[in-house]
């Protein structure tokens, strides 16, 4: 996200210099769309085209044509994915044919070996479908030779996890996910003695938009991030409790939840300002959109467990 923000600042700086004055936000949006159209006329979709559309959305999120801009952004993202990572499209087609949610392991380069082992174990368990592993990186790329690894242009440090997760959801929603996603941490364990029934799994995920182990107490650990961050952050988490949220180790988002979540994020990325906990951020945004967390452990549905410590303060008492 830092490289994207740097490029946005450079674009705005150049446009301001050309105009000889500060530009209004609606002017930034209009010029960004014009530059986007010029980019499209020059050939294949690229990162600059995506950044220009996102800049237009942020600058004028309530514009009458905001839905059109959002649709154009999704189209460009799909075109880039089809061009640069066709194997990913094949993987999604396999899942869609089985009417199953996409299993996605969120990890980082530091723990990539652990994530690969988790993906290996889950593949046989989850009807032969290998999960995608998502990490941060310098560019938008997909690696298939040693595990299906998607690298997004976001930081890989702990405090950037909310951006990594929201960018992941924005990417897969743009690709046209029809049966939702399962977010999985890289420290899962499989119940080797339990075989899944595909119809039961489908039925379970058809019952809700947002599901997992709900953390419902306002008295959660606000120093959870201590010792994990690579850069200076607030020593104590400062955002209010809004509503129960699904614990980040394992949760499900439906197609509808993904669409609403990512539409909000692309128009109002400030929703993550000062955020440290991706799972709470997901729950907070969905709550404002009228979607509540259903307290249904995915561990039971999928017969897996995660090494996720309790974050409620009552666990320390």
């Amino acid at each position: 996200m830092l490289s994207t923000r740097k490029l946005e600042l450079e674009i705005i700086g150049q446009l301001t210099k050309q105009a000889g004055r500060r530009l209004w936000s609606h002017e930034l949006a209009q010029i960004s769309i014009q530059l986007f159209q010029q980019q499209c006329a020059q050939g294949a979709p690229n990162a600059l085209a995506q950044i220009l559309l996102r800049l237009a959305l942020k600058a004028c999120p309530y514009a009458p044509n905001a839905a059109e801009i959002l649709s154009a952004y999704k189209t460009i993202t799909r075109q880039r994915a089809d061009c640069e990572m066709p194997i990913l499209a094949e993987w999604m087609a396999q899942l869609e044919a089985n009417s199953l949610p996409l299993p996605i392991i969120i990890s980082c380069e530091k723990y990539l070996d652990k994530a690969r082992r988790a993906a290996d174990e889950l593949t046989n368990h989850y009807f032969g479908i290998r999960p995608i592993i998502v990490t941060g990186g310098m560019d938008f790329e997909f690696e298939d030779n040693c595990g299906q690894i998607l690298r997004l242009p976001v930081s890989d440090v702990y405090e950037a996890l909310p951006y990594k997760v929201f960018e992941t959801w924005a990417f897969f929603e743009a690709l046209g996910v029809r049966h939702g996603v399962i977010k999985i941490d890289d420290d899962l364990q499989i119940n080797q003695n339990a075989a899944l029934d595909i119809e039961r799994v489908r039925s379970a995920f058809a019952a809700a938009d947002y599901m997992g182990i709900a953390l419902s107490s306002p008295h959660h650990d606000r120093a959870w991030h201590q010792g994990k961050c690579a850069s200076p952050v607030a020593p104590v988490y400062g955002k209010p409790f809004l509503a129960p949220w699904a614990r980040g180790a394992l949760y499900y988002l439906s197609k509808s939840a993904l669409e609403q979540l990512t539409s909000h994020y692309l128009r109002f990325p400030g929703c993550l300002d000062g955020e440290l906990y991706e799972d709470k951020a997901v729950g907070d945004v969905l709550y404002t959109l009228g979607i509540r967390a259903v307290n249904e452990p995915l561990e039971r549905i999928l017969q897996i467990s995660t090494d996720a410590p309790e974050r409620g303060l009552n666990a320390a008492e």
Side-chain angles (χ1 to χ4, degrees):
M1 291 301 295
L2 291 177
S3 60
T4 299
R5 288 176 179 174
K6 181 179 179 182
L7 185 53
E8 286 179 349
L9 287 171
E10 291 176 357
I11 292 171
I12 293 173
Q14 291 173 4
L15 296 178
T16 302
K17 185 176 180 180
Q18 291 172 7
R21 62 178 176 83
R22 182 189 67 80
L23 294 170
W24 292 78
S25 59
H26 74 277
E27 294 176 310
L28 281 174
Q30 292 170 356
I31 297 172
S32 295
I33 292 173
Q34 292 170 2
L35 292 174
F36 162 75
Q37 292 169 341
Q38 293 173 14
Q39 282 286 312
C40 291
Q42 294 174 7
N46 55 38
L48 180 57
Q50 290 176 294
I51 290 172
L52 288 168
L53 287 174
R54 290 180 68 153
L55 181 56
L57 277 171
K58 287 190 287 187
C60 215
Y62 296 108
N65 63 340
E68 297 175 17
I69 299 171
L70 188 60
S71 177
Y73 175 79
K74 294 179 183 180
T75 298
I76 290 293
T77 302
R78 285 196 301 272
Q79 289 174 345
R80 283 197 68 191
D82 289 344
C83 180
E84 300 175 27
M85 47 189 75
I87 295 176
L88 181 58
E90 295 175 8
W91 175 79
M92 287 190 61
Q94 179 189 7
L95 273 130
E96 298 295 0
N98 285 296
S99 302
L100 290 167
L102 309 182
I104 298 174
I105 296 175
I106 303 294
S107 189
C108 61
E109 290 294 329
K110 180 178 180 181
Y111 296 117
L112 199 50
D113 288 341
K114 181 168 68 170
R116 286 193 182 102
R117 289 193 295 270
D120 289 341
E121 292 181 13
L122 189 57
T123 299
N124 291 331
H125 187 68
Y126 193 65
F127 313 109
I129 298 167
R130 186 173 182 84
I132 295 292
I133 299 170
V134 177
T135 74
M138 296 301 294
D139 202 0
F140 179 73
E141 61 181 359
F142 185 68
E143 177 184 319
D144 188 53
N145 57 352
C146 54
Q148 297 185 140
I149 301 167
L150 173 65
R151 290 186 173 86
L152 298 177
V154 295
S155 175
D156 228 13
V157 298
Y158 177 85
E159 57 270 31
L161 184 57
Y163 288 99
K164 184 192 296 182
V165 169
F166 274 66
E167 288 295 321
T168 299
W169 301 151
F171 174 75
F172 282 103
E173 198 281 323
L175 264 55
V177 169
R178 294 203 306 266
H179 301 288
V181 295
I182 304 170
K183 188 264 184 177
I184 310 168
D185 274 1
D186 55 18
D187 50 7
L188 63 86
Q189 295 91 39
I190 305 293
N191 181 352
Q192 302 291 351
N193 298 319
L196 298 181
D197 179 278
I198 194 167
E199 291 301 332
R200 289 184 179 179
V201 171
R202 286 173 182 154
S203 176
F205 287 115
D209 283 320
Y210 174 39
M211 184 166 59
I213 294 179
L215 303 180
S216 57
S217 171
H219 305 292
H220 61 92
D221 187 359
R222 292 176 173 269
W224 180 258
H225 57 288
Q226 286 296 319
K228 301 177 183 179
C229 299
S231 59
V233 298
V236 177
Y237 180 77
K239 292 199 169 189
F241 173 87
L242 297 183
W245 74 91
R247 188 173 66 173
L250 189 63
Y251 63 80
Y252 164 76
L253 297 173
S254 72
K255 170 182 169 59
S256 176
L258 268 182
E259 185 175 11
Q260 294 182 62
L261 181 79
T262 57
S263 174
H264 182 90
Y265 168 62
L266 291 171
R267 290 183 300 127
F268 308 107
C271 66
L272 295 186
D273 287 351
E275 189 55 72
L276 293 167
Y277 309 139
E278 65 85 11
D279 51 358
K280 183 176 181 296
V282 167
D284 286 354
V285 171
L286 289 177
Y287 175 74
T288 65
L289 298 171
I291 298 175
R292 307 294 189 263
V294 174
N295 185 29
E296 180 64 49
L298 270 62
E299 288 83 350
R300 180 188 61 80
I301 297 170
L302 297 174
Q303 291 299 304
I304 63 178
S305 61
T306 58
D307 184 18
E310 175 60 53
R311 286 159 64 183
L313 291 186
N314 59 344
E317 295 175 353

